[in-house]
Amino acid sequence: MLSSLRRRLEQARTAADAGVTLIELVVAMTLSTIIAAMTLTLFLKVNDTTQTSTDRAINTGQARNILQAWTSYLHVADGPTYGNSSHRFEWITDSDVLFHADLANRSTSTPNAVGAPSTVWLRLTGRRLIEERFASGTTSPSVCRILADNVTASPLFKAYDTTYAAMTGQNLGSPMVTGGTGCTNLPASVTQTDLSAVSTLQNVARIEIDFTITDTRGKRAVPFFSAADVPTLVGATS
């Protein structure tokens, strides 16, 4: 009897060491697959969230720099002759504006002396925001910056008159030069020749800037907006 009991214990021990059954193996593989899928999904979600935060930070940084710079230029918009509102803006379209501004025109040797304003050309060309600045009377840019890509706007620029009514549909001139997607020289003259536009442009008191930047993956588009009042000039207007 003792021998029989030992035999049964040995058989039970052998059965225990025989491994897992097919059902147990299938269940284990299924659970492993589910856990792996959950882990991968969590990893992708965390990675996407991190990338989204990075994209938003980059786009916001770009937009902040653009809006700060462009509104600061508009705040010192001036005529090609200091203090004269005539031809302060040469044209304003939905995606293109050229104007003159008091940038880098202060004398370093004579107190309160000012030189001719610079010419500033801001535009959206081929989904790219471009800024060019020209010293008075020159045709090659002294500053040329490609500020952002993957940009859309409808419109980028919107003008308002002295009563802050939108100047939609009014004659704000046509560009005297076509801008490329990179640095573009000006022709010998960018003086607006449409006298009706010249007259209307003197009434511009505010410019709104409105655009959207899409991240490099093309997944998220973030809108940005600002506005700048242009100074009231007391010089001659004709």
Side-chain angles (χ1 to χ4, degrees), residues 147-162:
L147 299 172
D149 283 310
N150 301 316
V151 178
T152 55
S154 56
L156 174 60
F157 301 111
K158 191 172 182 179
Y160 292 80
D161 63 20
T162 53

Side-chain angles (χ1 to χ4, degrees), residues 22-150:
L22 179 60
I23 294 299
E24 291 172 331
L25 180 60
V26 171
V27 170
M29 291 178 64
T30 301
L31 290 175
S32 297
T33 301
I34 293 173
I35 293 172
M38 293 174 63
T39 302
L40 179 60
T41 300
L42 179 61
F43 173 79
L44 292 175
K45 186 172 182 179
V46 171
N47 184 67
D48 185 66
T49 301
T50 301
Q51 186 62 50
T52 297
S53 298
T54 301
D55 290 339
R56 185 178 292 112
I58 291 173
N59 290 347
T60 301
Q62 284 182 312
R64 180 176 60 249
N65 291 337
I66 293 166
L67 293 174
Q68 284 180 342
W70 288 12
T71 54
S72 70
Y73 303 158
L74 289 164
H75 282 316
V76 292
D78 201 348
T81 302
Y82 180 74
N84 189 337
S85 64
S86 180
H87 292 278
R88 168 159 56 182
F89 292 96
E90 300 294 358
W91 61 77
I92 303 172
T93 73
D94 286 354
S95 60
D96 193 320
V97 59
L98 187 141
F99 60 100
H100 307 280
D102 293 323
L103 301 172
N105 66 329
R106 296 287 178 176
S107 174
T108 58
S109 58
T110 305
N112 301 321
V114 294
S118 300
T119 299
V120 181
W121 188 13
L122 311 176
R123 65 183 187 276
L124 172 62
T125 306
R127 293 171 59 87
R128 171 175 286 180
L129 288 180
I130 301 172
E131 168 194 318
E132 293 189 70
R133 286 156 41 197
F134 302 80
S136 178
T138 64
T139 58
S140 297
S142 56
V143 174
C144 177
R145 300 196 297 166
I146 297 172
L147 299 172
D149 283 310
N150 301 316

